[in-house]
Amino acid sequence: MKFLDQAKIYVRSGDGGDGVTAFRREKYIEFGGPDGGNGGRGGDIIFEAVPNLNTLIDFRYTQHFRARKGGNGAGSDRTGAAADAVVIQVPIGTQIMDDDRETLLADLDKAGMRITLCRGGDGGHGNAHFKTSTNRAPRRSDKGWPGEEHWIWLRLKLIADVGLVGLPNAGKSTFLSVVSAARPKIADYPFTTLHPQLGVVRLSMTEDFVIADIPGLIEGAHEGTGLGTRFLGHVERCAVLLHLIDGSAGDVVEAWRMIRHELAEYGGGLGDKPEIIVLNKADAMSPQQISGRKRALEKASGTPVMVISAVARQGVTEVLRALFRYVSEARAERAAETQQADDEA
């Protein structure tokens, strides 16, 4: 299945049904009076977040969604049928943006969450609605109200607990394949990963979390260089960032600073997220190189640096445990916020 995280679509709710002008005509009833019914309500456009989708690829082939018009009224005070709503299913984490791509209309970040984006038009009144003591035979009936229409952008931001960032060829895909059942493409050239990958890490029967691996960043990515920062949105919701640095590449401090600069330029709160710095590819370095580069990184960042070899599975468990501590704290905070919101409601 192809991965698509942005799509532009057109949505339009249904118009309301028309009211009608009608009079009761029945044998032996000489003053039947008006009995034109009202029109039915037009169909709504509803978006629903479902857990079994992880891409917006379906919207590449279907880009127009229109709800049906409500039924027209009829004689004998019969109201037109209301049209069915059109329910558009999207992955969890989908944001609905206005056509300007800046105004956020909705953020569907929980399974089963629904939002009515376009309400169907109300049905028009039939002439029975306008009957009064002084106007006993009204011939007025109204058209149904028009529905709403929008061009909107859908943007998917994957729901993950940990975000993997780093330069191309830092070993991110290898790390993901070692700690989870994900099987991303792995090769010895840059930009092997062209779209985000998700993997589930299971530390025990009750301890698990989701890692998102995004394509590597290079200098000037916030200006569109390389694959740019388009995919950084997928790690905005993460509790912690895992910054992998290729220890065998040379100047590890410059590599760290460059990625930090790109995260800060992107915004979205990524520069303020907790970060675990990991020096990867220990199997390709001598003990002296490991010690010197680790000290240099710790001096530049002011935080402890962990050393692993993803391909040899050395030090991986310690990193996963450190990540899970951040994930557990974030989950506890979210649970407390949810409980507080429920209590206030």
Side-chain angles (χ1 to χ4, degrees), residues 39 41 76 111 115 123 125 128 169 186 188 203 274 284 289 329-330 335-337 340:
R41 184 181 179 83
S76 302
I115 181 74
H125 293 306
N169 267 15
I186 300 172
D188 59 354
L203 298 176
Q289 289 175 323
E329 292 174 3
E337 291 174 358
Q340 182 179 357

Side-chain angles (χ1 to χ4, degrees), residues 1-5 54-57 156 158 195-196 231 234:
M1 178 184 295
K2 292 184 178 180
F3 182 84
L4 187 69
D5 63 348
N54 58 9
T55 176
L56 299 175
I57 189 65
L156 175 60
L158 296 174
H195 56 77
F231 296 112
H234 295 291

Side-chain angles (χ1 to χ4, degrees), residues 251-297:
D251 193 347
V252 294
V253 174
E254 180 59 27
W256 172 79
R257 285 177 176 161
M258 194 274 290
I259 294 297
R260 293 300 304 175
H261 174 71
E262 296 300 329
L263 295 178
E265 290 294 325
Y266 173 81
L270 291 184
D272 301 326
K273 285 189 176 294
E275 177 189 48
I276 293 180
I277 304 174
V278 174
L279 198 61
N280 193 18
K281 303 186 181 180
D283 56 301
M285 296 182 287
S286 66
Q288 294 79 10
Q289 289 175 323
I290 293 175
S291 177
R293 292 170 184 176
K294 179 182 178 182
R295 280 198 306 270
L297 263 179

Side-chain angles (χ1 to χ4, degrees), residues 49-177:
V50 295
N52 60 334
L53 294 176
N54 58 9
T55 176
L56 299 175
I57 189 65
D58 293 339
F59 299 102
R60 173 172 289 180
Y61 310 108
T62 305
Q63 299 170 346
H64 295 78
F65 297 86
R66 296 181 176 89
R68 296 176 65 90
K69 176 184 175 181
N72 295 333
S76 302
D77 285 321
R78 287 176 291 177
T79 301
D84 294 332
V86 173
V87 179
I88 303 174
Q89 295 185 335
V90 295
I92 301 172
T94 300
Q95 292 183 334
I96 304 175
M97 315 288 291
D98 202 359
D99 195 23
D100 60 8
R101 304 185 73 170
E102 295 181 357
T103 306
L104 179 64
L105 303 177
D107 189 358
L108 305 175
D109 58 353
K110 296 181 180 64
M113 188 173 178
R114 292 164 68 101
I115 181 74
T116 301
L117 187 68
C118 298
R119 291 179 59 85
D122 292 328
H125 293 306
N127 67 332
H129 175 81
F130 301 102
K131 179 177 63 175
T132 66
S133 60
T134 57
N135 185 11
R136 299 185 178 184
R139 283 171 170 77
R140 172 185 170 184
S141 59
D142 293 345
K143 293 284 187 180
W145 288 87
E148 302 172 356
E149 60 180 346
H150 293 285
W151 278 99
I152 59 173
W153 280 90
L154 303 179
R155 184 181 182 189
L156 175 60
K157 292 184 178 180
L158 296 174
I159 305 295
D161 300 302
V162 177
L164 269 175
V165 297
L167 290 169
N169 267 15
K172 300 186 299 297
S173 296
T174 300
F175 181 84
L176 184 68
S177 68

